[in-house]
Amino acid sequence: MACGLWAATMHNSSLCALSHIPLIYFKSTFFSFKDEIYEQTCSVAMGSPLSPIIANLFMEDFETRTIESFPLKPKLWKRFVDDTFIIWPHGKEKIIIFLQHLNNQSNSINFTMAMEENGSLPFLNILINRNQDGTISYQVYRKKTHAEHYLHANSHHHPSQKFGVLNTLATMVVRISDQDHFEKEKNHLMNVFKKN
């Protein structure tokens, strides 16, 4: 069984445990919203170049401690920022207990879970499919709310920006789609390009 775990609302107040890093890096952000000025008082500073590094260090430590302290281990655990893909060989009942274990480790992190349905599981912008013969196939995943709105060909954007959008979408199809889905995705993109 494959599962996707998403770490939502990551407020890494536990980062202050990294005592060798000055606290100013954790609490030095002011921002405005609707004409009000706010100070961020927990977690790493938004926009700081150190924030992704510190958050990643925290998550690596969090994962190591959490997985080691649970009696059952995932067969595979891969994380990209706050999205985690795991393969769990111990059944649905135990994955629920494991999710509770994850969420009991820190008040500042809340994991949510999506489970494989009908042999498919979206992860980031990839739809991972388990085929009848046991092989895995891949294709581009678009959320239900995805509207296919991109820079219009007649917009007043520089041509390099328009080309950049086209290039990014085409590169995504080439890198993600397997042979079985490539033509379908290519045709989809051609239709999208015509509409935009």
Side-chain angles (χ1 to χ4, degrees):
M1 168 183 11
C3 299
L5 297 176
W6 286 265
T9 61
M10 283 183 53
H11 307 290
N12 300 333
S13 57
S14 305
L15 285 174
C16 294
L18 300 172
S19 60
H20 60 282
I21 299 174
L23 287 178
I24 188 82
Y25 292 123
F26 299 108
K27 298 186 177 193
S28 63
T29 297
F30 290 88
F31 61 95
S32 64
F33 179 71
K34 294 186 178 184
D35 298 325
E36 294 285 328
I37 295 177
Y38 297 88
E39 179 183 10
Q40 180 182 338
T41 58
C42 70
S43 187
V44 294
M46 292 185 297
S48 166
L50 286 177
S51 296
I53 297 165
I54 294 168
N56 196 42
L57 288 171
F58 173 83
M59 285 305 297
E60 286 180 15
D61 178 65
F62 175 87
E63 291 166 341
T64 301
R65 285 184 294 107
T66 303
I67 292 171
E68 286 177 0
S69 64
F70 196 74
L72 302 173
K73 310 293 183 233
K75 184 175 182 179
L76 175 76
W77 177 284
K78 297 289 181 184
R79 177 178 50 85
F80 180 78
V81 186
D82 64 346
D83 289 327
T84 307
F85 180 86
I86 73 168
I87 296 177
W88 185 259
H90 310 292
K92 289 182 181 181
E93 301 80 25
K94 300 292 184 188
I95 188 71
I96 301 301
I97 297 169
F98 182 64
L99 178 63
Q100 292 169 344
H101 175 71
L102 286 169
N103 286 328
N104 288 336
Q105 303 307 303
S106 171
N107 292 333
S108 58
I109 296 180
N110 181 44
F111 282 84
T112 60
M113 179 172 58
M115 295 178 69
E116 176 181 332
E117 288 183 29
N118 300 320
S120 297
L121 179 68
F123 180 66
L124 302 173
N125 59 346
I126 305 169
L127 183 62
I128 303 166
N129 302 299
R130 186 195 320 231
N131 302 319
Q132 294 287 341
D133 63 1
T135 60
I136 302 292
S137 61
Y138 309 92
Q139 65 189 87
V140 175
Y141 173 71
R142 294 172 188 86
K143 293 181 179 181
K144 293 176 185 177
T145 56
H146 184 70
E148 303 285 7
H149 291 247
Y150 302 103
L151 293 179
H152 194 276
N154 296 327
S155 70
H156 294 288
H157 289 84
H158 193 276
S160 65
Q161 291 175 310
K162 295 177 193 177
F163 180 73
V165 170
L166 300 177
N167 188 44
T168 298
L169 294 171
T171 301
M172 179 177 66
V173 166
V174 169
R175 289 185 179 169
I176 292 176
S177 298
D178 59 18
Q179 291 178 338
D180 296 335
H181 297 97
F182 181 77
E183 277 304 312
K184 175 185 162 194
E185 288 297 333
K186 185 176 89 172
N187 293 334
H188 175 81
L189 272 190
M190 294 306 289
N191 290 330
V192 168
F193 292 161
K194 289 175 187 173
K195 291 177 185 176
N196 287 284

